[in-house]
Amino acid sequence: MSDAIITVQGLGKKYSIRHQTSERYTALRDVITDKARSLFSKPQSAIRNGSSIEDFWALKDISFEVKPGEVIGIIGRNGAGKSTLLKILSRITEPTEGKIRIKGRVASLLEVGTGFHPELTGRENIYLNGAILGMHRTEIKAKFDEIVAFAEVEKFLDTPVKRYSSGMYVRLAFAVAAHLEPEILVVDEVLAVGDADFQKKCLGKMGDVARGGRTVLFVSHNMTAVRSLCRDAILIHAGKIVERGHPDQVIKTYLKASEETGWEVSWSDPARAPSGDGIWLSRVKVAPRDGGDLSRVEITVPLQIVIEYYNTIPGRLINVSLVIYTQDNQCVLNTGSDSAAREIGTHRAVCSIPGSFFNDETYRLRVLLVLDSSRAVVDRDHLVSFELHDSPRESNWYGKWIGVVRPTFEWHTKHLDGSTQVRQ
């Protein structure tokens, strides 16, 4: 008998999508005829009454286990099926196929105000949610003050929650879900609704929940939060599990697949190029300063970033601003070219970066073309990405160096005194 608290086997969820193909009026007899036909055949897609019906599998053949006390990050692009999976696990929607076994109470926070009744007050909804989770009134009462303090809604406790702002809604919903001690806590990207202080507070609370031995399923696009909170991660793409493992490796796979760019991008057609106010971007390139193979560029290699753009109006002050990010969206640096009057035609700005500056990491570029040192007429992110590899080291340290950059600074060590001294 498995000791897993969640077991998912061959899970699938299918939806039917209707595409309108004509403006034909649908009469009652058409609906009856359509229903009668469906009793004898179930085509994967069909044209019915001017509509095309297509079967769409939001999830297909999903299987995994979660042990008690595990904190699992679930990541993937929008539309990958993450929220559908959580809704099935939370018993909000039923699967089309497959089996799920869950041991224990599940508290879900999938959208703002999950499980709240809009006509009831904040106080009443705390007790209602607790009852839904299977808590006794005495258990809820023991946690009541802590929930209210965390949510910071004391003044509005006896106000119907339909009058709450989205921030108040989600604060109270998270406080209830996290403090009533379910065996399993399921949290979707809803935390993005709150402000920065609230998000930090919630992440801290989820860390406490995890350390308390309870199981957490956490869906987020915040890779830093997934990396810091989770000991395991699942990558979902197109309704299927692509990879499961340590968060660092799974996040790397996800971000690498998400980057549709390489070391260079260019546009020959001004109509397709990023443009604004008579200026268009024609080329962005990252390359080793002295050339070389792009399949493996080590961190010690000096780099050049080349940005070319075309100006159609003479005499305007134009400069290039370059922002570099890590793969998990940490800003490494922001640098810019000189701002000067530019002639009509193509201009090339080159930024030289010395070797032994970046860490072994994947980076991406954001490029801005700025007028009068104040107004960005072109602002494009995810234009180019480049991966740098570690170089052989002379030291005995072989782990991953922390930090978004790893510059080599000049150090001097001098022998000051040969006598033995003891500082008091």
Side-chain angles (χ1 to χ4, degrees):
M1 187 73 177
S2 173
D3 63 345
I5 194 170
I6 300 175
T7 303
V8 178
Q9 296 177 331
L11 181 67
K13 178 63 180 178
K14 181 178 71 174
Y15 294 97
S16 294
I17 303 174
R18 182 181 294 270
H19 305 287
Q20 194 69 32
T21 57
S22 74
E23 297 298 324
R24 181 177 178 269
Y25 171 73
T26 302
L28 176 61
R29 65 175 178 272
D30 297 320
V31 176
I32 296 173
T33 302
D34 187 45
K35 292 293 183 183
R37 287 175 179 168
S38 68
L39 295 174
F40 301 100
S41 63
K42 294 183 179 180
Q44 290 297 306
S45 60
I47 305 296
R48 303 172 187 166
N49 302 327
S51 297
S52 170
I53 299 177
E54 175 189 355
D55 289 339
F56 169 72
W57 286 90
L59 295 172
K60 186 68 175 177
D61 196 25
I62 297 287
S63 299
F64 64 93
E65 288 188 347
V66 179
K67 304 290 185 183
E70 284 191 314
V71 184
I72 309 293
I74 301 176
I75 62 176
R77 291 185 176 186
N78 290 331
K82 306 183 298 298
S83 296
T84 301
L85 174 61
L86 295 194
K87 287 179 180 179
I88 294 174
L89 294 176
S90 303
R91 299 185 179 94
I92 294 173
T93 186
E94 293 184 353
T96 305
E97 60 184 20
K99 297 180 180 179
I100 301 172
R101 186 169 64 249
I102 298 176
K103 302 175 184 178
R105 295 174 298 202
V106 180
S108 303
L109 188 59
L110 306 182
E111 56 188 43
V112 176
T114 301
F116 277 11
H117 192 296
E119 299 296 335
L120 298 181
T121 65
R123 183 189 305 275
E124 292 166 336
N125 270 294
I126 292 175
Y127 281 96
L128 173 63
N129 269 248
I132 291 172
L133 288 175
M135 310 290 292
H136 295 293
R137 186 177 180 86
T138 53
E139 295 178 87
I140 302 170
K141 191 173 182 179
K143 290 283 185 178
F144 187 86
D145 291 340
E146 192 176 346
I147 291 170
V148 173
F150 186 94
E152 301 175 3
V153 294
E154 295 93 335
K155 290 174 61 178
F156 309 98
L157 198 55
D158 294 306
T159 301
V161 296
K162 67 181 181 181
R163 297 195 176 97
Y164 283 17
S165 68
S166 60
M168 293 166 64
Y169 239 117
V170 76
R171 285 204 305 269
L172 186 57
F174 181 86
V176 171
H179 285 80
L180 291 183
E181 299 185 355
E183 283 77 18
I184 302 167
L185 177 61
V186 177
V187 183
D188 204 344
E189 191 65 71
V190 66
L191 296 185
V193 174
D195 56 30
D197 288 340
F198 170 69
Q199 291 181 40
K200 184 177 179 180
K201 191 175 180 180
C202 288
L203 292 174
K205 182 60 182 177
M206 277 197 289
D208 294 341
V209 169
R211 286 187 289 273
R214 282 177 280 164
T215 303
V216 180
L217 298 181
F218 178 47
V219 166
S220 180
H221 291 286
N222 185 335
M223 297 300 109
T224 302
V226 171
R227 185 178 280 116
S228 63
L229 280 176
C230 305
R231 292 169 296 201
D232 204 7
I234 294 174
L235 173 59
I236 297 180
H237 176 71
K240 296 183 178 181
I241 293 180
V242 175
E243 184 175 348
R244 178 174 179 176
H246 191 276
D248 285 342
Q249 180 56 46
V250 176
I251 289 170
K252 185 175 182 180
T253 301
Y254 164 58
L255 293 171
K256 193 168 185 178
S258 298
E259 296 286 353
E260 299 178 352
T261 59
W263 290 72
E264 179 177 2
V265 62
S266 61
W267 299 267
S268 58
D269 183 359
R272 297 180 177 272
S275 62
D277 208 350
I279 306 170
W280 56 278
L281 195 61
S282 57
R283 187 185 186 205
V284 179
K285 178 182 179 181
V286 181
R289 190 182 304 170
D290 300 323
D293 185 8
L294 294 180
S295 63
R296 181 181 173 84
V297 180
E298 295 184 352
I299 61 172
T300 55
V301 174
L303 301 176
Q304 278 191 339
I305 301 176
V306 179
I307 300 167
E308 296 180 357
Y309 60 93
Y310 192 93
N311 176 38
T312 60
I313 302 174
R316 293 190 300 175
L317 296 176
I318 303 173
N319 75 283
V320 176
S321 181
L322 174 66
V323 189
I324 301 180
Y325 297 91
T326 63
Q327 59 178 346
D328 57 356
N329 213 36
Q330 296 183 69
C331 182
V332 180
L333 59 87
N334 182 5
T335 184
S337 69
D338 64 309
S339 181
R342 311 297 183 190
E343 300 175 0
I344 293 177
T346 300
H347 299 263
R348 174 182 294 169
V350 179
C351 176
S352 296
I353 300 178
S356 299
F357 175 79
F358 289 114
N359 206 342
D360 54 320
E361 180 67 87
T362 300
Y363 300 88
R364 78 170 198 269
L365 301 188
R366 174 185 172 195
V367 175
L368 299 89
L369 300 181
V370 183
L371 276 178
D372 301 323
S373 300
S374 61
R375 182 166 62 94
V377 294
V378 173
D379 184 352
R380 287 291 296 271
D381 200 353
H382 294 274
L383 281 176
V384 167
S385 65
F386 59 98
E387 184 176 8
L388 301 178
H389 299 268
D390 203 357
S391 297
R393 307 176 195 168
E394 298 178 358
S395 68
N396 293 324
W397 170 259
Y398 295 101
K400 168 74 175 177
W401 288 38
I402 64 173
V404 294
V405 293
R406 204 172 102 194
T408 299
F409 295 121
E410 187 175 347
W411 282 67
H412 295 284
T413 303
K414 184 178 180 180
H415 182 209
L416 298 178
D417 192 348
S419 63
T420 300
Q421 292 185 353
V422 178
R423 292 181 180 270
Q424 300 295 326

Short mmCIF file of all heavy atoms in Angstrom, two decimals, residues 278-310:
data_model
loop_
_atom_site.label_atom_id
_atom_site.label_comp_id
_atom_site.label_asym_id
_atom_site.label_seq_id
_atom_site.Cartn_x
_atom_site.Cartn_y
_atom_site.Cartn_z
N GLY A 278 9.30 56.65 -36.15
CA GLY A 278 10.28 56.78 -37.22
C GLY A 278 11.60 56.08 -36.95
O GLY A 278 12.59 56.34 -37.65
N ILE A 279 11.64 55.20 -35.96
CA ILE A 279 12.86 54.44 -35.66
C ILE A 279 12.50 52.96 -35.63
O ILE A 279 11.47 52.59 -35.04
CB ILE A 279 13.47 54.84 -34.30
CG1 ILE A 279 13.69 56.35 -34.24
CG2 ILE A 279 14.78 54.11 -34.05
CD1 ILE A 279 14.07 56.84 -32.86
N TRP A 280 13.31 52.12 -36.26
CA TRP A 280 13.03 50.69 -36.17
C TRP A 280 14.30 49.90 -35.90
O TRP A 280 15.39 50.25 -36.34
CB TRP A 280 12.29 50.17 -37.39
CG TRP A 280 12.93 50.40 -38.73
CD1 TRP A 280 12.88 51.52 -39.48
CD2 TRP A 280 13.69 49.45 -39.50
NE1 TRP A 280 13.56 51.37 -40.66
CE2 TRP A 280 14.07 50.10 -40.71
CE3 TRP A 280 14.09 48.13 -39.29
CZ2 TRP A 280 14.81 49.47 -41.69
CZ3 TRP A 280 14.84 47.50 -40.28
CH2 TRP A 280 15.19 48.17 -41.45
N LEU A 281 14.10 48.85 -35.13
CA LEU A 281 15.21 47.99 -34.72
C LEU A 281 15.47 46.98 -35.83
O LEU A 281 14.55 46.32 -36.31
CB LEU A 281 14.83 47.28 -33.43
CG LEU A 281 15.92 46.59 -32.61
CD1 LEU A 281 16.97 47.58 -32.15
CD2 LEU A 281 15.28 45.89 -31.40
N SER A 282 16.73 46.86 -36.26
CA SER A 282 17.03 45.95 -37.37
C SER A 282 17.84 44.72 -36.95
O SER A 282 17.79 43.69 -37.63
CB SER A 282 17.79 46.70 -38.47
OG SER A 282 18.98 47.28 -37.96
N ARG A 283 18.59 44.81 -35.84
CA ARG A 283 19.42 43.65 -35.47
C ARG A 283 19.84 43.73 -34.01
O ARG A 283 20.17 44.81 -33.51
CB ARG A 283 20.66 43.60 -36.35
CG ARG A 283 21.53 42.37 -36.19
CD ARG A 283 22.78 42.54 -37.03
NE ARG A 283 23.61 41.36 -37.04
CZ ARG A 283 24.93 41.38 -37.27
NH1 ARG A 283 25.54 42.53 -37.50
NH2 ARG A 283 25.62 40.27 -37.28
N VAL A 284 19.82 42.58 -33.33
CA VAL A 284 20.38 42.45 -31.99
C VAL A 284 21.19 41.16 -31.97
O VAL A 284 20.69 40.10 -32.34
CB VAL A 284 19.28 42.39 -30.91
CG1 VAL A 284 19.92 42.23 -29.53
CG2 VAL A 284 18.41 43.65 -30.95
N LYS A 285 22.42 41.26 -31.52
CA LYS A 285 23.31 40.10 -31.56
C LYS A 285 24.23 40.08 -30.35
O LYS A 285 24.76 41.11 -29.94
CB LYS A 285 24.15 40.13 -32.84
CG LYS A 285 25.15 38.98 -32.96
CD LYS A 285 25.97 39.11 -34.23
CE LYS A 285 27.00 37.99 -34.34
NZ LYS A 285 27.81 38.12 -35.57
N VAL A 286 24.41 38.89 -29.78
CA VAL A 286 25.42 38.67 -28.74
C VAL A 286 26.42 37.68 -29.31
O VAL A 286 26.04 36.66 -29.90
CB VAL A 286 24.80 38.09 -27.45
CG1 VAL A 286 25.87 37.90 -26.39
CG2 VAL A 286 23.71 39.01 -26.93
N ALA A 287 27.72 37.96 -29.16
CA ALA A 287 28.73 37.07 -29.72
C ALA A 287 30.04 37.22 -28.94
O ALA A 287 30.30 38.28 -28.35
CB ALA A 287 28.97 37.41 -31.19
N PRO A 288 30.84 36.17 -28.90
CA PRO A 288 32.19 36.31 -28.35
C PRO A 288 32.95 37.39 -29.11
O PRO A 288 32.87 37.47 -30.34
CB PRO A 288 32.81 34.92 -28.57
CG PRO A 288 31.64 33.99 -28.68
CD PRO A 288 30.55 34.79 -29.32
N ARG A 289 33.69 38.22 -28.41
CA ARG A 289 34.36 39.35 -29.03
C ARG A 289 35.32 38.92 -30.13
O ARG A 289 35.47 39.58 -31.16
CB ARG A 289 35.12 40.15 -27.97
CG ARG A 289 35.65 41.49 -28.49
CD ARG A 289 36.43 42.22 -27.40
NE ARG A 289 35.62 42.40 -26.21
CZ ARG A 289 36.12 42.82 -25.05
NH1 ARG A 289 37.42 43.08 -24.93
NH2 ARG A 289 35.33 42.97 -24.01
N ASP A 290 35.96 37.78 -29.93
CA ASP A 290 36.94 37.30 -30.91
C ASP A 290 36.40 36.15 -31.74
O ASP A 290 37.17 35.37 -32.31
CB ASP A 290 38.23 36.85 -30.19
CG ASP A 290 38.86 38.00 -29.41
OD1 ASP A 290 38.81 39.14 -29.92
OD2 ASP A 290 39.38 37.76 -28.31
N GLY A 291 35.08 36.02 -31.83
CA GLY A 291 34.49 34.94 -32.59
C GLY A 291 34.53 33.64 -31.80
O GLY A 291 34.84 33.61 -30.61
N GLY A 292 34.21 32.55 -32.43
CA GLY A 292 34.26 31.26 -31.77
C GLY A 292 32.93 30.54 -31.83
O GLY A 292 31.92 31.05 -32.31
N ASP A 293 32.96 29.29 -31.35
CA ASP A 293 31.80 28.41 -31.39
C ASP A 293 30.77 28.85 -30.36
O ASP A 293 31.09 29.03 -29.19
CB ASP A 293 32.26 26.98 -31.11
CG ASP A 293 31.14 25.98 -31.26
OD1 ASP A 293 30.04 26.37 -31.72
OD2 ASP A 293 31.34 24.81 -30.91
N LEU A 294 29.51 29.01 -30.80
CA LEU A 294 28.45 29.43 -29.89
C LEU A 294 27.84 28.27 -29.11
O LEU A 294 27.03 28.49 -28.21
CB LEU A 294 27.34 30.15 -30.67
CG LEU A 294 27.72 31.48 -31.32
CD1 LEU A 294 26.51 32.05 -32.06
CD2 LEU A 294 28.21 32.47 -30.29
N SER A 295 28.21 27.03 -29.46
CA SER A 295 27.62 25.89 -28.77
C SER A 295 28.06 25.80 -27.31
O SER A 295 27.35 25.26 -26.48
CB SER A 295 27.97 24.59 -29.49
OG SER A 295 29.38 24.37 -29.48
N ARG A 296 29.25 26.32 -27.01
CA ARG A 296 29.70 26.36 -25.62
C ARG A 296 30.60 27.57 -25.43
O ARG A 296 31.77 27.56 -25.83
CB ARG A 296 30.44 25.08 -25.24
CG ARG A 296 30.90 25.10 -23.77
CD ARG A 296 31.66 23.87 -23.37
NE ARG A 296 32.23 24.01 -22.03
CZ ARG A 296 31.57 23.77 -20.90
NH1 ARG A 296 30.33 23.36 -20.95
NH2 ARG A 296 32.17 23.92 -19.72
N VAL A 297 30.04 28.61 -24.82
CA VAL A 297 30.79 29.83 -24.52
C VAL A 297 31.02 29.88 -23.02
O VAL A 297 30.06 29.84 -22.24
CB VAL A 297 30.04 31.09 -25.01
CG1 VAL A 297 30.84 32.33 -24.68
CG2 VAL A 297 29.77 31.00 -26.49
N GLU A 298 32.28 29.95 -22.62
CA GLU A 298 32.60 29.95 -21.20
C GLU A 298 32.55 31.36 -20.62
O GLU A 298 32.66 32.36 -21.36
CB GLU A 298 33.96 29.31 -20.97
CG GLU A 298 33.98 27.83 -21.36
CD GLU A 298 35.31 27.17 -21.05
OE1 GLU A 298 36.28 27.89 -20.68
OE2 GLU A 298 35.40 25.92 -21.18
N ILE A 299 32.40 31.43 -19.31
CA ILE A 299 32.22 32.72 -18.65
C ILE A 299 33.45 33.62 -18.78
O ILE A 299 33.35 34.84 -18.63
CB ILE A 299 31.88 32.53 -17.17
CG1 ILE A 299 33.00 31.79 -16.43
CG2 ILE A 299 30.56 31.81 -17.00
CD1 ILE A 299 32.81 31.73 -14.94
N THR A 300 34.62 33.06 -19.07
CA THR A 300 35.84 33.86 -19.19
C THR A 300 35.96 34.58 -20.53
O THR A 300 36.85 35.41 -20.71
CB THR A 300 37.07 32.96 -19.00
OG1 THR A 300 37.01 31.88 -19.95
CG2 THR A 300 37.11 32.39 -17.59
N VAL A 301 35.07 34.27 -21.46
CA VAL A 301 35.15 34.83 -22.81
C VAL A 301 34.53 36.23 -22.84
O VAL A 301 33.37 36.40 -22.44
CB VAL A 301 34.43 33.92 -23.82
CG1 VAL A 301 34.39 34.56 -25.21
CG2 VAL A 301 35.10 32.55 -23.89
N PRO A 302 35.25 37.26 -23.33
CA PRO A 302 34.66 38.60 -23.49
C PRO A 302 33.54 38.58 -24.53
O PRO A 302 33.64 37.86 -25.54
CB PRO A 302 35.84 39.46 -23.95
CG PRO A 302 37.06 38.68 -23.58
CD PRO A 302 36.69 37.25 -23.68
N LEU A 303 32.49 39.35 -24.29
CA LEU A 303 31.34 39.37 -25.19
C LEU A 303 31.13 40.74 -25.79
O LEU A 303 31.54 41.76 -25.22
CB LEU A 303 30.07 38.97 -24.42
CG LEU A 303 30.04 37.60 -23.76
CD1 LEU A 303 28.75 37.43 -22.98
CD2 LEU A 303 30.19 36.49 -24.79
N GLN A 304 30.49 40.76 -26.95
CA GLN A 304 30.02 41.99 -27.56
C GLN A 304 28.52 41.88 -27.80
O GLN A 304 28.05 40.85 -28.30
CB GLN A 304 30.72 42.26 -28.89
CG GLN A 304 32.08 42.92 -28.76
CD GLN A 304 32.60 43.40 -30.10
OE1 GLN A 304 32.16 42.92 -31.14
NE2 GLN A 304 33.52 44.35 -30.07
N ILE A 305 27.79 42.93 -27.44
CA ILE A 305 26.37 43.00 -27.75
C ILE A 305 26.18 44.09 -28.80
O ILE A 305 26.52 45.26 -28.55
CB ILE A 305 25.53 43.29 -26.49
CG1 ILE A 305 25.76 42.18 -25.45
CG2 ILE A 305 24.06 43.41 -26.84
CD1 ILE A 305 25.06 42.42 -24.13
N VAL A 306 25.69 43.69 -29.95
CA VAL A 306 25.55 44.61 -31.09
C VAL A 306 24.06 44.90 -31.30
O VAL A 306 23.25 43.98 -31.40
CB VAL A 306 26.14 43.99 -32.37
CG1 VAL A 306 25.95 44.94 -33.55
CG2 VAL A 306 27.62 43.66 -32.17
N ILE A 307 23.73 46.19 -31.35
CA ILE A 307 22.35 46.62 -31.57
C ILE A 307 22.34 47.60 -32.74
O ILE A 307 23.01 48.64 -32.70
CB ILE A 307 21.75 47.28 -30.32
CG1 ILE A 307 21.76 46.28 -29.16
CG2 ILE A 307 20.34 47.79 -30.59
CD1 ILE A 307 21.50 46.89 -27.81
N GLU A 308 21.60 47.26 -33.80
CA GLU A 308 21.50 48.13 -34.97
C GLU A 308 20.06 48.62 -35.13
O GLU A 308 19.11 47.86 -34.90
CB GLU A 308 21.93 47.36 -36.23
CG GLU A 308 23.40 46.94 -36.21
CD GLU A 308 23.81 46.19 -37.46
OE1 GLU A 308 22.93 45.96 -38.32
OE2 GLU A 308 25.00 45.83 -37.58
N TYR A 309 19.94 49.89 -35.49
CA TYR A 309 18.61 50.47 -35.69
C TYR A 309 18.68 51.49 -36.82
O TYR A 309 19.75 51.99 -37.18
CB TYR A 309 18.10 51.13 -34.41
CG TYR A 309 18.97 52.26 -33.88
CD1 TYR A 309 18.71 53.59 -34.25
CD2 TYR A 309 20.03 52.01 -33.03
CE1 TYR A 309 19.50 54.63 -33.77
CE2 TYR A 309 20.82 53.04 -32.54
CZ TYR A 309 20.55 54.34 -32.91
OH TYR A 309 21.35 55.37 -32.44
N TYR A 310 17.51 51.79 -37.38
CA TYR A 310 17.42 52.74 -38.50
C TYR A 310 16.62 53.95 -38.07
O TYR A 310 15.52 53.83 -37.52
CB TYR A 310 16.74 52.08 -39.71
CG TYR A 310 16.87 52.88 -40.98
CD1 TYR A 310 17.91 52.65 -41.86
CD2 TYR A 310 15.94 53.88 -41.30
CE1 TYR A 310 18.04 53.38 -43.04
CE2 TYR A 310 16.06 54.62 -42.47
CZ TYR A 310 17.11 54.37 -43.33
OH TYR A 310 17.24 55.10 -44.48
#
